[in-house]
Amino acid sequence: MDGAKKKKSAFSRIFGFREAGVLLALIILCLAIGTINPVFFSFRNIIKVLRQFSAIGIISVGSAFIIITGGIDLSVGSFMAFGAVGTAKMIADGVPPILALLVILGIAGCCGMISGLIVVKIKLNPFIVTLAMMNIISGVTYLITNGIPVAFNNYLNFLGKDFMTIPVSIFIMIIVMIIGAILLSKTEFGRKIYAVGGNGMAAKLSGINVDKTKCTAYIMTSVLAALTGIITCANLSSGDVSTGSGYELNVIAACAIGGCSLSGGEGTILGVFIGAAILGVIKNGFVLLMIPASWQTITIGIVIILACTLDQLKHKKSEA
Amino acid sequence: MTDVILSVQHLSKSFPGVKVLNDINIDFRKGTVHAIVGENGAGKSTFMNIVFGVYTDFNGKMILDGKETKFASPMEAQHSGIAMVHQENSLIPYLSVMDNIFLGHYPKKGFFIDKSTLRKKTDVLLGELNIKEITPDSIVDRLSVAQRQLVEIVKALSLDARLLMLDEPTASLTITESQHLMRVISQLREKGVAIVYVSHKLDEVFEIADEISVLRDGEMIRHLDKAEFDHDQVVYYMIGRKLQEYDSSEKGSGDFTARKEIIRVEHLSRRNELHDISFSAKEGEILGFGGLVGAGRSELMEAIFGFDRYSSGEIFIGSKKVEITNPVHAIENGIALVPEERKQKGIFARLSIMENINVVSYKNLKNGRLISSRKERDSAEKYVEDLRIRTTSIMKMLGQLSGGNQQKVILARWLRLSPKILILDEPTHGIDIGAKEEIYKIIRQLASEGTTILLVSSEMDELIRLSDRVVVMREGYLKGILERDELSQTNIMKLAI
């Protein structure tokens, strides 16, 4: 009896955590693809997959913070383009690369703060605010170079290269994920994020500065998006206005698959990582299996619905 | 017994692992108000949900007009003449009253809604119940809670309901509003509608009901006819034991002259809501705040706590004047607030009990910059034990606990900070009698340890039993402060109305 109990608790400790469902889906997906085409499991291919979803992975960390507070950010794609083009242009104009990088991240942070302030002070819907911000930032990015790509050749290119045969962007993603996970689960700030999204009024009455907490999440996300844009730019050796187009929705998809509730209050960085990984594996797998790209997006759509349904069922069960 | 509309026989229902209803037999008669009373968790809601067709999986029979019936959904129940007004509002805020009432069964002209018939029908329904203050075109969002409640009832009746179930209909109404509702219910009774009335407020039940069924732990304990109504007996049946007699020695000496003054409020005002409020409270004193719902008591507490700003006036903590513009300042000054609406303002339903307890005190639970899992767990476990919060695990989501246990968790949250001043706004609202007693005990214990308590309550018994003095408010004005020997229901009501 006692033994059975213990066994069960060990079992639930391993598989009972929130992300177990999507993790299982990821494993099955990998095994299926790998069985059909063993190339999938080669070191080179795994690295390729990781690099492919590293951009989404990095931004998703910020987006997860926003979504857990009950918000949403549609402007991350345009911040990527801004990061890429802005940095490339400043460097081309003679600004030292590291300074250009810091200035652009700073500007992105300020713009994120503006989004955040509009959300908390004027109380506009974050969907609308970030939709507007997306348009503004895209326009500004276009203005910088009139849409012409700018060459990017300086020591910052290492961000897009390999380090010990592994792309630097993967290291960056892992570092950002670890910091994000610690912030969210181990610090007061993280707990505030959950509280604000779970019940804003109760959070305010618990002495939490709701406005500041929300704003911080928007600032973080904009900075991470701009940073990702710079990494992409370093990889392509060119700052292009089309960088990051469509990323805003992929990032939201990664968060949703990973278990972030769009009504706020729920989500983990581990979940978001798995969500981003599933997107990456589907993209890579479909290429390996030579399935037309249109099926990729159809599959991603189905996966989003399945993942969220799974979450919903779990809630029903735990609330009964 | 031809006047029996619905007869429920041998009804039992289990959820995985728990039997929530066991062999219940009740008859509902035409033109009769049948009250169902019981503590939270007694099975009242489950019972109503079965009758209304929400739960379809149960044992037993339901006999409607002499024929055995089984509803597959609430819609079927409605079409058979059974209506239910839920505790939570189910109206659509930005639609008009008539739209809300006839949503789902609009009168039509071809493809289009027949607006003039719609308006006429709504007028008739409102007129039948003498509801004059609501027009068919009023937008629900602009109505008061009480008016919405009436719209809910009219909506339920629009389908020619013969059996109307009301779940805690007066929970958020003022006394005058409740009285209006009572009149409406009486009219329905005269029209021959069978009414099922579920409420915690026994006074109200005794006033309106013709018969009472008492449930406890899913069992039908007793059925009483009007002649057998007796407050103490009903309470005894509900909780299965005698309620503790009120004992005046529960209070301290009541002499606070030598004690330190902890909080003094002077001429506090906020436009249209609070007018020139002044009072003070001493160390270890329980200062009650009486008045009708809407008298401005919650607004006053939220102003003191910095949730809403006050436009003029001064607050002194100790002897120091403080400027409180947000809850952070209040907490720094040793003030804690357990707010009125637990669900909206208190709990984080999806977060664990542990996180709910610790949410205001992470500063003290860190190792360096990071939160220590051990400290966090220990802190929560200590309070779960101290306040006897009933749960299998501190990791359970708070939304899964009963109201009484949720309230204890919120108390724990604030006790964790050892506040000098604890503001309790309707601390036992919607909580069953057993848990209430435990919360009273905690409140008294805190006061005897020197915490100053500001207690807002609409329950007279509670206010009189716990308070050392009572401030009575009406429409945003302070109408008087009653000393301990003046405390009585009549004295409070005299000032409150």
Side-chain angles (χ1 to χ4, degrees):
Chain A
M1 186 70 194
D2 207 40
K5 235 183 194 171
K6 248 181 205 161
K7 218 179 238 170
K8 200 187 158 204
S9 79
F11 179 82
S12 64
R13 218 176 305 140
I14 299 167
F15 294 102
F17 64 102
R18 277 192 176 155
E19 300 79 8
V22 270
L23 181 60
L24 199 67
L26 177 64
I27 292 170
I28 293 172
L29 196 65
C30 290
L31 288 177
I33 296 169
T35 321
I36 303 170
N37 189 341
V39 174
F40 179 80
F41 284 122
S42 68
F43 178 73
R44 263 186 60 195
N45 189 60
I46 289 173
I47 292 300
K48 200 169 140 195
V49 175
L50 280 167
R51 207 198 59 203
Q52 245 170 10
F53 76 78
S54 63
I56 289 177
I58 295 169
I59 305 173
S60 298
V61 172
S63 259
F65 277 70
I66 293 182
I67 289 174
I68 296 171
T69 65
I72 197 148
D73 192 347
L74 295 177
S75 61
V76 295
S78 62
F79 274 110
M80 276 180 77
F82 173 75
V85 175
T87 315
K89 174 72 173 151
M90 279 179 81
I91 295 168
D93 289 350
V95 179
I98 187 70
L99 185 63
L101 177 130
L102 291 175
V103 168
I104 290 297
L105 294 186
I107 295 173
C110 289
C111 295
M113 186 165 74
I114 292 170
S115 295
L117 284 172
I118 296 173
V119 169
V120 299
K121 294 295 179 198
I122 311 182
K123 305 208 186 302
L124 295 188
N125 186 306
F127 188 98
I128 298 299
V129 175
T130 56
L131 178 69
M133 189 53 83
M134 171 175 97
N135 281 293
I136 294 169
I137 299 295
S138 300
V140 168
T141 307
Y142 195 86
L143 278 180
I144 295 173
T145 65
N146 279 320
I148 303 157
V150 186
F152 189 89
N153 272 312
N154 55 72
Y155 58 80
L156 284 183
N157 278 75
F158 86 92
L159 289 171
K161 298 278 174 320
D162 292 356
F163 175 69
M164 298 192 308
T165 74
I166 294 170
V168 174
S169 63
I170 296 178
F171 290 112
I172 296 178
M173 172 175 73
I174 291 170
I175 292 167
V176 169
M177 289 260 174
I178 290 174
I179 294 175
I182 291 174
L183 263 182
L184 199 52
S185 66
K186 279 281 170 192
T187 67
E188 210 179 331
F189 170 64
R191 298 304 165 89
K192 286 180 182 172
I193 293 272
Y194 284 109
V196 165
N199 185 344
M201 201 130 53
K204 193 179 169 198
L205 279 169
S206 303
I208 292 172
N209 190 333
V210 174
D211 294 357
K212 191 174 134 194
T213 309
K214 282 189 179 174
C215 270
T216 312
Y218 285 93
I219 296 170
M220 276 175 53
T221 308
S222 306
V223 171
L224 286 174
L227 174 67
T228 312
I230 297 169
I231 295 168
T232 312
C233 171
N235 183 258
L236 301 171
S237 301
S238 154
D240 187 351
V241 283
S242 68
T243 311
S245 84
Y247 268 63
E248 52 281 333
L249 299 183
N250 286 328
V251 164
I252 294 169
C255 292
I257 294 172
C260 294
S261 156
L262 285 186
S263 46
E266 275 178 292
T268 60
I269 298 301
L270 178 62
V272 167
F273 173 79
I274 298 169
I278 286 180
L279 290 181
V281 168
I282 290 176
K283 273 189 187 148
N284 174 269
F286 277 52
V287 173
L288 287 183
L289 305 183
M290 293 190 290
I291 302 170
S294 34
W295 286 103
Q296 226 183 71
T297 53
I298 293 172
T299 314
I300 290 174
I302 294 170
V303 168
I304 295 173
I305 290 175
L306 285 180
C308 296
T309 308
L310 198 80
D311 265 1
Q312 192 66 21
L313 290 178
K314 253 191 231 163
H315 276 312
K316 275 240 174 92
K317 212 170 138 194
S318 65
E319 271 159 23
Chain B
M1 287 281 182
T2 46
D3 57 350
V4 173
I5 291 184
L6 178 76
S7 171
V8 175
Q9 296 176 355
H10 305 296
L11 182 76
S12 298
K13 164 86 185 162
S14 299
F15 285 122
V18 234
K19 191 141 203 177
V20 275
L21 287 177
N22 189 17
D23 197 26
I24 305 286
N25 294 292
I26 302 185
D27 288 346
F28 297 114
R29 279 169 246 281
K30 208 174 153 184
T32 306
V33 177
H34 193 143
I36 298 179
V37 299
E39 290 194 276
N40 286 346
K44 296 166 299 182
S45 305
T46 313
F47 176 78
M48 284 198 288
N49 280 324
I50 288 174
V51 174
F52 195 50
V54 177
Y55 298 133
T56 50
D57 164 36
F58 59 90
N59 293 317
K61 281 197 281 193
M62 283 210 285
I63 295 170
L64 184 70
D65 300 324
K67 270 181 288 182
E68 189 173 344
T69 324
K70 194 164 182 180
F71 303 127
S73 69
M75 208 168 41
E76 274 189 36
Q78 282 173 346
H79 286 298
S80 304
I82 294 179
M84 179 164 170
V85 175
H86 293 266
Q87 223 169 326
E88 288 98 29
N89 212 296
S90 63
L91 300 176
I92 299 163
Y94 296 107
L95 289 183
S96 67
V97 167
M98 55 183 188
D99 283 316
N100 266 291
I101 290 173
F102 284 98
L103 203 69
H105 52 283
Y106 275 121
K108 284 188 192 162
K109 243 187 203 157
F111 274 128
F112 300 100
I113 293 168
D114 181 354
K115 277 260 177 188
S116 63
T117 311
L118 178 63
R119 194 169 288 119
K120 237 179 276 163
K121 278 189 162 182
T122 311
D123 249 339
V124 170
L125 284 172
L126 293 169
E128 274 176 12
L129 297 177
N130 285 325
I131 302 169
K132 297 184 190 84
E133 70 276 25
I134 306 172
T135 69
D137 290 286
S138 315
I139 300 297
V140 164
D141 192 45
R142 302 214 187 98
L143 300 180
S144 70
V145 183
Q147 290 170 331
R148 286 183 210 188
Q149 197 89 46
L150 293 175
V151 175
E152 289 260 18
I153 292 174
V154 175
K155 180 182 172 188
L157 295 172
S158 70
L159 279 164
D160 297 323
R162 292 172 301 145
L163 180 81
L164 175 66
M165 294 187 283
L166 299 163
D167 189 5
E168 298 279 353
T170 58
S172 34
L173 303 191
T174 65
I175 291 179
T176 359
E177 289 168 337
S178 301
Q179 280 161 356
H180 185 108
L181 183 71
M182 292 301 148
R183 278 197 296 279
V184 170
I185 292 174
S186 303
Q187 282 170 3
L188 290 172
R189 168 165 53 194
E190 274 154 39
K191 285 185 204 305
V193 178
I195 290 156
V196 183
Y197 192 91
V198 170
S199 177
H200 273 118
K201 298 182 185 168
L202 287 183
D203 298 343
E204 213 176 83
V205 168
F206 290 141
E207 187 192 325
I208 193 79
D210 300 303
E211 44 189 327
I212 298 180
S213 292
V214 185
L215 294 186
R216 185 173 74 226
D217 298 330
E219 307 259 0
M220 175 75 171
I221 297 299
R222 191 67 201 257
H223 177 269
L224 301 154
D225 286 322
K226 188 119 193 162
E228 303 170 276
F229 287 3
D230 176 80
H231 185 278
D232 292 349
Q233 274 301 312
V234 172
V235 170
Y236 173 74
Y237 292 133
M238 280 168 70
I239 63 177
R241 57 182 157 83
K242 275 228 166 65
L243 202 57
Q244 274 170 349
E245 288 295 307
Y246 165 57
D247 175 9
S248 62
S249 67
E250 286 173 331
K251 287 185 188 175
S253 67
D255 184 14
F256 291 95
T257 39
R259 298 286 193 93
K260 245 189 348 209
E261 184 177 273
I262 297 293
I263 179 170
R264 184 152 47 90
V265 170
E266 285 187 355
H267 311 294
L268 198 80
S269 296
R270 186 164 69 228
R271 190 182 297 244
N272 297 331
E273 285 190 318
L274 299 170
H275 309 278
D276 196 24
I277 310 275
S278 302
F279 66 87
S280 70
K282 300 209 163 164
E283 188 180 20
E285 186 175 4
I286 303 181
L287 184 61
F289 285 79
L292 302 179
V293 174
R297 294 170 299 165
S298 299
E299 288 75 5
L300 174 63
M301 296 307 149
E302 291 183 350
I304 294 172
F305 195 64
F307 188 60
D308 272 322
R309 298 227 182 152
Y310 45 94
S311 44
S312 66
E314 291 171 333
I315 297 174
F316 297 87
I317 305 288
S319 50
K320 202 178 82 212
K321 188 183 164 191
V322 292
E323 214 42 76
I324 297 175
T325 56
N326 67 49
V328 181
H329 297 156
I331 294 168
E332 283 166 3
N333 281 297
I335 308 177
L337 169 72
V338 175
E340 181 189 8
E341 295 154 68
R342 190 164 51 242
K343 271 196 186 130
Q344 284 88 41
K345 295 182 178 170
I347 65 165
F348 300 99
R350 290 271 172 94
L351 296 185
S352 66
I353 294 169
M354 179 180 84
E355 287 164 299
N356 268 285
I357 290 177
N358 293 333
V359 65
V360 295
S361 36
Y362 281 119
K363 278 190 183 65
N364 313 320
L365 299 171
K366 290 193 228 176
N367 273 339
R369 305 188 75 120
L370 300 186
I371 293 168
S372 148
S373 319
R374 198 176 50 77
K375 283 185 189 169
E376 191 180 20
R377 251 196 339 267
D378 290 350
S379 149
E381 256 153 18
K382 173 177 182 294
Y383 280 93
V384 165
E385 203 178 297
D386 285 0
L387 303 190
R388 299 208 278 148
I389 296 166
R390 279 177 205 89
T391 175
T392 46
S393 153
I394 56 167
M395 299 314 289
K396 215 169 170 179
M397 284 200 287
L398 185 56
Q400 293 174 281
L401 298 195
S402 70
N405 282 312
Q406 288 181 357
Q407 191 69 306
K408 286 189 197 166
V409 166
I410 296 176
L411 268 171
R413 177 189 297 169
W414 292 107
L415 299 187
R416 183 82 194 56
L417 292 179
S418 320
K420 280 188 293 190
I421 301 159
L422 178 61
I423 304 175
L424 301 169
D425 197 350
E426 304 287 359
T428 61
H429 182 96
I431 287 176
D432 60 57
I433 293 179
K436 249 182 204 175
E437 290 298 328
E438 292 183 42
I439 288 179
Y440 292 164
K441 219 177 271 171
I442 297 167
I443 294 173
R444 273 192 295 264
Q445 171 75 24
L446 287 168
S448 70
E449 288 165 8
T451 312
T452 302
I453 290 169
L454 307 184
L455 171 73
V456 175
S457 176
S458 296
E459 288 190 37
M460 292 288 176
D461 286 349
E462 185 170 301
L463 215 49
I464 294 168
R465 235 177 107 175
L466 291 173
S467 309
D468 295 302
R469 291 183 299 149
V470 171
V471 173
V472 184
M473 289 179 67
R474 176 179 7 137
E475 289 164 3
Y477 291 92
L478 191 154
K479 284 295 171 185
I481 299 180
L482 296 168
E483 294 298 326
R484 190 166 179 182
D485 47 8
E486 305 167 308
L487 285 185
S488 73
Q489 190 150 350
T490 359
N491 284 346
I492 294 175
M493 285 316 284
K494 258 190 231 158
L495 292 170
I497 298 179

